[in-house]
């Protein structure tokens, strides 16, 4: 399909790990991003991964990329109540009329229970 | 360092009225973006500027929407006349020139528009 797909909701208990999954559409996309959006706020860049990488770790965040399946995941270790937000996956398409555009998924609402 | 500034944060208007949104990007960022975010959706690009030139505006509904970025810094997005379906959050983002190609975009808080 043409859309970046994400599951809409995820609930975890505080201290557990969270895994948010995303399927993107274009195998030629060069960069994949994870953004976080808190209520009433804009999008905050969490991390990104270049398409020739399989994994990227940044403190509590681990990004895994399966380019063959066009699957991206974000793992948050030791999830805290402050991590409750909407998480958006985005791909940067770099060909044709969509050159350089970011395409976002619908977002995954992460709820962390104390 | 100040982030992307947008104003107003909220706007309520009646249909058929005009409305304008303002964005001040991060200092030194030459690329500016306007996005539309409908409720429950991810942002969708409306227009992208490189300095003062609109380089990607194919998704901007030009019959009622217009944008400008005079002097390559601040930008204004206008809707005239507004329709009920324009109710959404309008996000502005900016990014620095990047030789690595990441084009990391930094978003403002958005303007929430309600059309009655």
């Amino acid at each position: 399909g043409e859309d970046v797909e994400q599951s809409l909701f995820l609930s975890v208990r505080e201290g557990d790990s969270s895994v948010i999954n995303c399927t993107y559409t274009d195998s030629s996309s060069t960069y994949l991003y994870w953004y976080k959006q808190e209520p009433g706020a804009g999008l905050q860049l969490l991390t990104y991964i270049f398409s020739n990488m399989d994994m990227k770790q940044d403190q509590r965040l681990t990004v895994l990329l399966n380019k063959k399946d066009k699957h991206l995941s974000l793992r948050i270790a030791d999830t805290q109540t402050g991590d409750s937000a909407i998480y958006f996956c985005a791909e940067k398409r770099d060909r044709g009329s969509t050159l350089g555009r970011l395409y976002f998924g619908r977002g995954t609402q992460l709820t962390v229970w104390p | 360092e100040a982030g992307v500034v947008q104003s107003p944060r909220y706007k309520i208007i009646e249909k058929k009225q005009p409305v304008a949104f303002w964005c001040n990007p991060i200092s030194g960022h030459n690329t500016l973006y306007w996005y539309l975010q409908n409720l429950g959706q991810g942002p969708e690009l409306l227009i992208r500027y490189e300095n003062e030139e609109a380089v990607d505006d194919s998704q901007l509904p030009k019959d009622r929407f217009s944008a400008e970025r005079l002097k390559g810094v601040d930008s204004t997005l206008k809707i005239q006349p507004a329709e009920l379906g324009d109710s959404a959050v309008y996000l502005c983002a900016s990014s620095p020139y990047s030789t690595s190609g990441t084009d990391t975009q930094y978003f403002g808080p958005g303007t929430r528009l309600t059309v009655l």
Side-chain angles (χ1 to χ4, degrees), chain B residues 3-5 23-27 29 31-32 69 72-75 92-94:
Chain B
V4 176
V5 179
C23 173
N24 180 244
I26 293 173
S27 178
H29 284 193
T31 307
L32 184 146
R69 192 185 183 197
V73 182
D74 295 1
S75 177
C92 179
S94 68

Side-chain angles (χ1 to χ4, degrees), chain A residues 92-111:
Chain A
K92 182 185 177 189
R93 298 183 193 170
D94 275 331
R95 60 177 169 183
S97 61
T98 62
L99 183 69
R101 278 188 204 164
L102 287 190
Y103 286 82
F104 289 83
R106 291 183 62 183
T108 299
Q109 172 72 62
L110 174 65
T111 302

Side-chain angles (χ1 to χ4, degrees), chain B residues 72-113:
Chain B
V73 182
D74 295 1
S75 177
T76 303
L77 177 69
K78 298 177 181 177
I79 308 174
Q80 182 171 11
E83 297 178 351
L84 294 176
D86 297 330
S87 294
V89 176
Y90 292 82
L91 295 167
C92 179
S94 68
S95 64
Y97 174 73
S98 170
T99 55
S100 66
T102 58
D103 291 343
T104 301
Q105 297 183 27
Y106 298 85
F107 283 79
T111 296
R112 181 176 296 277
L113 173 67

Side-chain angles (χ1 to χ4, degrees), chain A residues 63-74:
Chain A
V63 179
L64 295 178
L65 175 61
N66 180 330
K67 196 173 178 182
K68 173 178 171 290
D69 294 336
K70 290 182 281 189
H71 184 266
L72 184 73
S73 68
L74 173 70

Side-chain angles (χ1 to χ4, degrees), chain A:
Chain A
E2 291 295 315
D3 295 337
V4 177
E5 300 283 349
Q6 297 179 243
S7 53
L8 297 183
F9 303 98
L10 177 65
S11 293
V12 300
R13 191 168 296 279
E14 190 174 26
D16 288 349
S17 292
S18 307
V19 180
I20 303 172
N21 294 302
C22 168
T23 302
Y24 61 99
T25 63
D26 192 336
S27 57
S28 70
S29 291
T30 51
Y31 289 92
L32 292 305
Y33 303 83
W34 284 104
Y35 282 86
K36 176 183 180 182
Q37 187 175 37
E38 296 181 89
L43 276 68
Q44 172 196 351
L45 178 67
L46 288 177
T47 186
Y48 66 88
I49 187 168
F50 187 49
S51 58
N52 69 351
M53 298 170 64
D54 297 325
M55 185 183 83
K56 181 178 181 181
Q57 187 155 3
D58 184 0
Q59 299 181 345
R60 292 191 298 123
L61 306 179
T62 302
V63 179
L64 295 178
L65 175 61
N66 180 330
K67 196 173 178 182
K68 173 178 171 290
D69 294 336
K70 290 182 281 189
H71 184 266
L72 184 73
S73 68
L74 173 70
R75 178 178 182 270
I76 306 173
D78 187 25
T79 313
Q80 303 297 306
T81 54
D83 294 324
S84 293
I86 300 175
Y87 290 79
F88 290 93
C89 166
E91 62 173 328
K92 182 185 177 189
R93 298 183 193 170
D94 275 331
R95 60 177 169 183
S97 61
T98 62
L99 183 69
R101 278 188 204 164
L102 287 190
Y103 286 82
F104 289 83
R106 291 183 62 183
T108 299
Q109 172 72 62
L110 174 65
T111 302
V112 183
W113 301 97

